[in-house]
Amino acid sequence: MDNTLGGFLQSRRARIQPEDVGLPPYGRRRVPGLRREEVAQLAGVSVDYYIRLEQGRGRHVSDAVLDAVARVLRLDATERAHLRDLARPGQAHTVAPVPGAVPSPAVRPGVRLMLDSFHDTPAFVLGRRMDVLAWNALADALHGFSTPGASRNMLQRVFLDPAAGDIYPDWSAVAAESVAYTRLRAGRHQDDEELEALVAELSAKSADFRRLWDDHLVKEKTYGVKRLVHPVVGRMDFGYETLALPGDPEQMIVVYTAPPGSASEERLRMLASWTAKSAAGVGGHGGRDCPDQGADPAPDRR
């Protein structure tokens, strides 16, 4: 998956210039940013120890060292968490199982009912590999999750669908956000073979994905703006919120909302009306009515 600690640290070193941290920019530099020796000096560790850390050989690295390196490299809170994940694979984000919880990627029946209760709001459940695991009728009308042959993996849709640039007016931002979130999840689950296979597939098929993956950017998927162009009702600008499911933090409910009184709200109402009429005529296609959603819907990526 090339989600190495060394790659991440090198990418963070490259974005900081010596003068940014009070060092003179002397000498010819073969690579941009800080040298390993300079990071070690500023973090208060030996050069040999820091080199071993970048090479993934720094066993039992202490919190103090990780905090010092994070400070030197000016990591934000998400990047600091990612650093700990990479330095301590399999340890940092262990979640105690909740009695009665359904393991991912199964979606609990109560969650499906909740999705279907959002009649005027597109909502779906997203797994840690960016697979759409369940959805309501309006999300289906918006994204076509139940369309035969359509991928239910959002990364594949963004990078492998030739129409993605037409669907997402700000495709570059959507692509960067999607990869940064996937990088974060990959750091927390370095032994996830299915995620590794997905990254390998996208790296082989998309130069844009490879470029963004090599940037080692990480970002949580919490809230933001999503702009979409629908073939029937046209462009809609949404705000979105993501909610982690209690008992299964590897699943998130994603909800789209349109600003009150906006053109997007009016177009969403038109789409909801069209969806309701279609459902009345053909028996509905909400998330609860799709029999294969209980298993991982992503295609075989090997």
Side-chain angles (χ1 to χ4, degrees):
M1 204 182 298
D2 189 31
N3 199 60
T4 63
L5 175 60
F8 177 65
L9 290 174
Q10 290 166 25
S11 71
R12 301 306 88 182
R13 281 196 289 117
R15 69 181 183 178
I16 299 177
Q17 300 305 312
E19 53 268 32
D20 295 337
V21 291
L23 293 176
Y26 59 81
R28 183 178 179 181
R29 293 179 178 267
R30 292 176 297 176
V31 294
L34 295 178
R35 297 188 177 103
R36 289 172 171 175
E37 296 82 357
E38 292 166 336
V39 175
Q41 173 189 342
L42 293 168
V45 300
S46 71
V47 174
D48 180 66
Y49 185 88
Y50 181 76
I51 290 176
R52 285 190 284 115
L53 182 63
E54 277 205 4
Q55 292 174 343
R57 298 187 293 118
R59 296 183 178 180
H60 309 299
V61 58
S62 68
D63 288 341
V65 169
L66 292 178
D67 288 342
V69 171
R71 172 180 52 78
V72 172
L73 299 180
R74 300 185 175 183
L75 305 186
D76 61 25
T78 302
E79 291 170 327
R80 284 173 179 260
H82 187 60
L83 174 62
R84 291 177 184 273
D85 290 337
L86 297 178
R88 298 168 179 169
Q91 299 179 27
H93 286 270
T94 301
V95 179
V98 175
V102 180
S104 178
V107 177
R108 298 193 299 268
V111 174
R112 297 178 187 278
L113 289 172
M114 182 168 59
L115 292 178
D116 286 343
S117 71
F118 299 157
H119 300 294
D120 301 320
T121 304
F124 55 92
V125 175
L126 196 65
R128 76 181 186 209
R129 304 181 193 102
M130 298 286 281
D131 289 320
V132 179
L133 306 177
W135 57 85
N136 65 5
L138 197 50
D140 191 24
L142 191 63
H143 286 290
F145 293 133
S146 66
T147 302
S151 173
R152 296 176 194 166
N153 180 274
M154 298 306 287
L155 281 169
Q156 291 176 328
R157 283 172 170 249
V158 170
F159 289 99
L160 303 184
D161 185 346
D166 298 324
I167 297 171
Y168 300 107
D170 49 356
W171 180 90
S172 295
V174 172
E177 178 188 82
S178 299
V179 173
Y181 173 75
T182 304
R183 263 287 186 193
L184 188 65
R185 308 309 289 186
R188 293 177 184 174
H189 303 279
Q190 297 179 51
D191 58 349
D192 188 330
E193 294 182 356
E194 291 188 51
L195 182 54
E196 184 174 358
L198 174 62
V199 170
E201 177 198 14
L202 293 168
S203 297
K205 295 180 178 179
S206 171
D208 289 315
F209 180 86
R210 288 197 303 274
R211 172 180 54 80
L212 291 169
W213 188 254
D214 289 343
D215 285 342
H216 286 267
L217 297 179
V218 290
K219 182 180 180 181
E220 284 283 9
K221 188 176 182 66
T222 52
Y223 63 92
V225 175
K226 188 74 67 176
R227 298 178 177 89
L228 301 168
V229 177
H230 189 272
V232 175
V233 299
R235 172 167 169 161
M236 289 178 282
D237 296 351
F238 297 110
Y240 74 83
E241 299 285 340
T242 62
L243 310 170
L245 283 173
D248 194 344
E250 300 305 324
Q251 293 183 1
M252 300 183 302
I253 293 181
V254 182
V255 180
Y256 291 165
T257 57
S262 65
S264 296
E265 183 187 44
E266 179 61 28
R267 289 168 184 167
L268 186 60
R269 287 176 179 171
M270 292 171 56
L271 185 61
S273 176
W274 172 75
T275 301
K277 291 177 181 178
S278 299
V282 301
H285 44 280
R288 194 173 46 178
D289 298 319
C290 300
D292 60 342
Q293 289 186 58
D296 189 343
D300 183 9
R301 308 185 186 97
R302 300 188 187 280

